[in-house]
Amino acid sequence: MADVILKNVRKNYDPAVLKDTLRNIELNIKEGEFIVFVGPSGCGKSTLLRMIAGLEDITSGELSIGGKYMNDVPPVERNVGMVFQSYALYPHMNVYENMAFGLKLKKMDKETIHKRVSRAAEILGLVPLLERKPKALSGGQRQRVAIGRSIVQQPSVFLFDEPLSNLDAALRVKMRIEIAKLHKELNSTIIYVTHDQVEAMTLADKIVVLSPLKESAESNLEQYGSPLDLYHNPSNKFVAGFIGSPKMNFLDGILVEIGLDKCKIKLNSGDIVTACVDARRGKVGDKVELGIRPEHLVPVDHPDAVGRLSGQVQVAEHLGAESFVYMEVDGKDFTVKAASEIPVDTGDTLEVGVPAQACYLFDSTEQAFPRTAKYNRT
Amino acid sequence: MAIVQPKSIKYRLLATHLVMWAFIAVIAFPLVMVIAISFRTGNFAVGDIIPTNPTLDHWKLALGMSIQNADGSITPPPFPVLRWLWNSIKVAGISAGLIVVLSTTCAYAFARLRFQGKDLILKGMLIFQMFPAVLALVAIYALFDKIGDYIPWLGLNTHGGLILAYMGGIALHVWTIKGYFETIDPSLEEAASIDGATPWQAFRLILLPLSVPILAVVFILAFIAAITEVPMASILLSDVNNLTLAVGAQQYLYPQNYLWGDFAAAAVMSGLPITIVFLLAQRWLVGGLTAGGVKG
């Protein structure tokens, strides 16, 4: 069990040729927390994990685990366990030998090894498979062996590099729940990399959102906070667009009225929308972007429907319990998640209500204005 | 099995088999001829494929036994063929083993480590390998003559020197093994290093056990090359007792007297160690060793 602290960490694979992959990463991970690194591909999340593991060196900055400076410490002495995306099981050893390999290298006595491996096998339900070679295991079982191999080492920090991305959808949900249970049971620090924001939202105590580094940007650490915090109060447009499924809708407009806890925005389509956002940092006439989550839109006769938007329906998907309507508003894609069936089809015009509490607002540099309310559709 | 085939497939199959049998016959014919010559009475290159008066005289001489001629005189074996055979096996076995060791470690560095000039050295090795070593025979002779002044057991007319010379030709083996190493997911070694393995342990305990098939292939290739090699061995070795079989067998052939029969018996014998090594190594030539370790 240990804290993991990153200070001003930067990674550059080849300074002569390439620009930075990661810049100015500041993280303070507390003991026992489940942290998820999330971001689109190429944002450096796996690189960051590998730097914590010691598989990549740190270009500049400082990494400490359990209060010890770890920049130049080889992987084995960092007391971390890692589960690879590809599982990386040793093909010529059976399940037992796979898990015992690290302990044997550390010259532990046979009894301790046996005890630890048996315990891990019990936790993960691998007892009947101990004699099998990896090629005789299914994907989910291989994944469990990979997890078991790191458990037996009793590391202070577990590192998971997209562990579920090779599994099929049903197995992924099952393993996700098992990993959550495992965290409760072991109560150790876990750092988990994924590009799947559902995994991130369901597993994490705190989420780290990373973006592909722009040349001018100070850092590609976009936000670090609890899942609901990221959902309700994203610090910028990138996080707002990345967290939530389907993606948040964005519409361009200008500020026309600024109040204490409310403001009015005139959209390019001409509609005026009231938003529960503290926009006092901006001024009237500023260009802004309005964000609305698909699941927050309501029918026009709903009591919360303060503003209105209308658009042309492109495609409507009826899933039974809910419906997705993809339409075009002011020349931009706009998604509506309706609670039940709504009788629309391609080519129809649909009008939806926009609750003032459901609005997010971003300035011209894509930074968010503070929201003054949260919204949950009832 | 279930694909429906047109009727003409029967004839095409037959034609294919005929062509293949003809091809095999062409390949096997010289071998059959050599075997036939080794059992034929007298020393003639041409004659019946199945000898009319088969004799074991050539084989007796090759195996170091004297033969009694029709007139009662006794012909002692002219050359120590068995000793040559043993020399061949010794030189080929040791040099193949050392070649495997050298080229494996070398290939590991090229496949996994990052260092300056890697590409240059790799390509350079390939290009230098393109010049046949035969062209450098004079230089090799001079070199080993000089080495012998300082380290006698590596000098001219020693098996140590010949083995050292054979170890020069590993560039292609390095490429072969490097290519195989690169098919093994590096995350296996990363996992090992997190488990606490040093790079050497990761190499020995993870990478090597998975590479057995390619090591067997390289061993066989190196062994065959050393057994059949003539120019270098004929330059470096001069003592009759030190010769390898491939070089020694030529002593049967001199312009005044071509002893084809004795030569053929020695030649067939030189194929034996290769066959044995091949049969022994076959059990290592298995696929699917890395199956199940990683999922791509």
Side-chain angles (χ1 to χ4, degrees):
Chain A
M1 315 297 124
D3 294 0
V4 178
I5 295 165
L6 289 96
K7 275 188 197 148
N8 197 14
V9 166
R10 185 169 74 93
K11 175 69 188 177
N12 194 321
Y13 278 101
D14 190 353
V17 189
L18 298 165
K19 47 185 197 172
D20 292 353
T21 308
L22 291 162
R23 194 183 290 163
N24 200 10
I25 305 294
E26 298 269 351
L27 289 175
N28 194 341
I29 297 165
K30 296 210 177 52
E31 192 176 317
E33 275 186 327
F34 197 126
I35 303 294
V36 174
F37 293 171
V38 71
S41 46
C43 70
K45 53 192 190 298
S46 285
T47 304
L48 187 56
L49 193 79
R50 291 167 61 84
M51 282 157 83
I52 295 172
L55 298 173
E56 297 282 352
D57 57 350
I58 295 170
T59 311
S60 71
E62 198 178 297
L63 164 73
S64 61
I65 299 173
K68 263 184 276 173
Y69 179 76
M70 287 289 182
N71 277 34
D72 305 319
V73 176
V76 56
E77 288 162 38
R78 296 188 185 204
N79 202 14
V80 296
M82 184 151 171
V83 176
F84 291 82
Q85 179 175 10
S86 61
Y87 317 144
L89 301 181
Y90 312 130
H92 54 302
M93 304 183 191
N94 65 26
V95 171
Y96 185 94
E97 290 163 335
N98 258 286
M99 293 203 272
F101 180 71
L103 303 177
K104 272 185 199 155
L105 287 179
K106 285 179 183 142
K107 304 235 160 31
M108 289 191 180
D109 61 280
K110 274 212 172 118
E111 218 168 290
T112 320
I113 294 177
H114 187 73
K115 220 186 282 170
R116 285 206 196 174
V117 173
S118 313
R119 172 90 187 103
E122 233 168 81
I123 294 175
L124 295 163
L126 291 171
V127 177
L129 308 173
L130 283 176
E131 298 298 318
R132 291 215 200 155
K133 290 267 175 74
K135 75 176 157 197
L137 300 177
S138 72
Q141 290 165 338
R142 285 179 199 172
Q143 190 60 71
R144 283 209 289 268
V145 177
I147 295 171
R149 199 172 54 184
S150 59
I151 289 180
V152 295
Q153 300 269 0
Q154 303 184 340
S156 50
V157 182
F158 282 99
L159 306 172
F160 287 87
D161 189 1
E162 307 209 20
L164 307 185
S165 60
N166 281 333
L167 304 180
D168 62 57
L171 203 53
R172 204 178 303 167
V173 174
K174 194 168 156 247
M175 285 302 295
R176 202 170 74 205
I177 295 165
E178 281 190 30
I179 290 175
K181 270 202 284 192
L182 197 69
H183 178 233
K184 292 261 166 6
E185 200 162 326
L186 301 173
N187 206 19
S188 47
T189 315
I190 293 183
I191 303 177
Y192 186 106
V193 164
T194 180
H195 58 259
D196 180 352
Q197 50 123 342
V198 178
E199 263 172 45
M201 296 294 281
T202 50
L203 286 170
D205 291 323
K206 280 189 179 164
I207 294 179
V208 176
V209 182
L210 296 166
S211 65
L213 187 65
K214 291 186 213 82
E215 197 42 40
S216 58
E218 243 170 62
S219 168
N220 52 346
L221 174 61
E222 296 289 346
Q223 196 169 359
Y224 176 36
S226 71
L228 287 180
D229 198 30
L230 262 57
Y231 181 81
H232 289 299
N233 297 307
S235 66
N236 54 43
K237 190 184 159 193
F238 180 84
V239 177
F242 195 78
I243 301 289
S245 172
K247 216 165 130 21
M248 185 186 274
N249 300 304
F250 296 101
L251 294 169
D252 293 323
I254 50 170
L255 272 171
V256 290
E257 200 181 307
I258 300 172
L260 199 59
D261 57 355
K262 271 194 181 126
C263 64
K264 283 193 176 163
I265 301 107
K266 187 176 181 212
L267 298 177
N268 287 0
S269 58
D271 298 306
I272 293 192
V273 174
T274 310
C276 290
V277 169
D278 176 5
R280 283 175 293 169
R281 148 160 87 81
K283 54 183 190 294
V284 172
D286 276 359
K287 273 193 178 170
V288 289
E289 251 178 302
L290 181 75
I292 311 156
R293 294 198 184 278
E295 60 269 33
H296 286 163
L297 292 158
V298 293
V300 280
D301 54 0
H302 193 279
D304 291 335
V306 181
R308 287 179 174 208
L309 288 169
S310 68
Q312 186 124 57
V313 175
Q314 309 284 320
V315 178
E317 294 174 345
H318 302 289
L319 305 181
E322 57 198 16
S323 300
F324 294 103
V325 182
Y326 301 96
M327 47 189 220
E328 208 178 272
V329 175
D330 187 23
K332 287 191 160 189
D333 290 337
F334 195 93
T335 312
V336 179
K337 184 179 174 187
S340 56
E341 290 175 44
I342 45 173
V344 291
D345 210 342
T346 306
D348 294 353
T349 302
L350 179 69
E351 204 169 24
V352 290
V354 182
Q357 301 96 313
C359 291
Y360 298 73
L361 198 64
F362 306 94
D363 63 18
S364 53
T365 60
E366 301 195 341
Q367 295 303 305
F369 289 105
R371 298 177 74 207
T372 57
K374 285 179 192 172
Y375 187 71
N376 280 309
R377 187 168 67 183
T378 46
Chain B
M1 275 294 131
I3 298 176
V4 180
Q5 302 283 12
K7 281 241 168 86
S8 67
I9 193 84
K10 241 197 252 168
Y11 306 107
R12 280 193 276 161
L13 203 65
L14 193 70
T16 314
H17 279 224
L18 283 177
V19 170
M20 284 196 311
W21 278 111
F23 196 66
I24 289 172
V26 167
I27 292 173
F29 188 65
L31 180 66
V32 175
M33 264 176 77
V34 171
I35 293 174
I37 293 169
S38 76
F39 287 106
R40 199 178 288 155
T41 314
N43 284 297
F44 302 107
V46 285
D48 302 326
I49 281 296
I50 297 165
T52 38
N53 298 314
T55 166
L56 289 175
D57 285 357
H58 304 308
W59 281 92
K60 277 189 182 155
L61 287 178
L63 292 169
M65 288 179 269
S66 305
I67 50 168
Q68 198 166 17
N69 295 323
D71 58 0
S73 65
I74 290 187
T75 311
F79 301 112
V81 177
L82 281 181
R83 185 171 181 119
W84 289 345
L85 183 66
W86 170 239
N87 287 344
S88 278
I89 293 172
K90 193 172 73 175
V91 168
I94 293 175
S95 62
L98 289 175
I99 282 172
V100 167
V101 170
L102 265 187
S103 50
T104 312
T105 41
C106 187
Y108 176 76
F110 282 119
R112 289 291 195 257
L113 306 181
R114 266 183 281 179
F115 53 89
Q116 236 176 356
K118 184 163 112 175
D119 274 2
L120 194 73
I121 299 174
L122 264 175
K123 283 180 195 142
M125 283 197 329
L126 205 58
I127 289 169
F128 282 123
Q129 197 78 11
M130 286 174 191
F131 298 101
V134 180
L135 299 183
L137 278 182
V138 184
I140 288 173
Y141 182 86
L143 272 175
F144 280 91
D145 191 27
K146 205 77 188 158
I147 290 175
D149 290 348
Y150 300 95
I151 315 166
W153 58 274
L154 283 182
L156 285 176
N157 203 18
T158 63
H159 290 151
L162 187 61
I163 289 168
L164 184 65
Y166 285 163
M167 277 162 58
I170 64 166
L172 288 179
H173 299 314
V174 171
W175 272 88
T176 312
I177 300 177
K178 170 183 167 284
Y180 189 87
F181 280 170
E182 280 168 353
T183 64
I184 297 175
D185 194 315
S187 68
L188 286 178
E189 290 143 79
E190 287 174 354
S193 79
I194 284 181
D195 269 348
T198 59
W200 170 249
Q201 283 173 320
F203 172 68
R204 192 171 60 88
L205 300 173
I206 305 298
L207 204 57
L208 273 194
L210 300 178
S211 310
V212 168
I214 199 72
L215 301 188
V217 168
V218 166
F219 185 88
I220 291 172
L221 289 179
F223 189 85
I224 293 175
I227 285 266
T228 55
E229 205 276 346
V230 171
M232 199 111 79
S234 66
I235 288 289
L236 292 181
L237 302 176
S238 45
D239 242 358
V240 171
N241 278 331
N242 268 349
L243 296 182
T244 60
L245 190 52
V247 177
Q250 296 184 20
Q251 306 258 339
Y252 284 114
L253 311 175
Y254 39 94
Q256 291 80 13
N257 192 4
Y258 275 90
L259 297 170
W260 282 119
D262 299 347
F263 174 78
V268 173
M269 251 197 321
S270 78
L272 286 179
I274 296 177
T275 315
I276 290 168
V277 162
F278 216 91
L279 290 176
L280 286 179
Q282 213 164 28
R283 52 187 293 237
W284 302 110
L285 295 175
V286 285
L289 270 190
T290 56
V294 297
K295 188 163 179 182

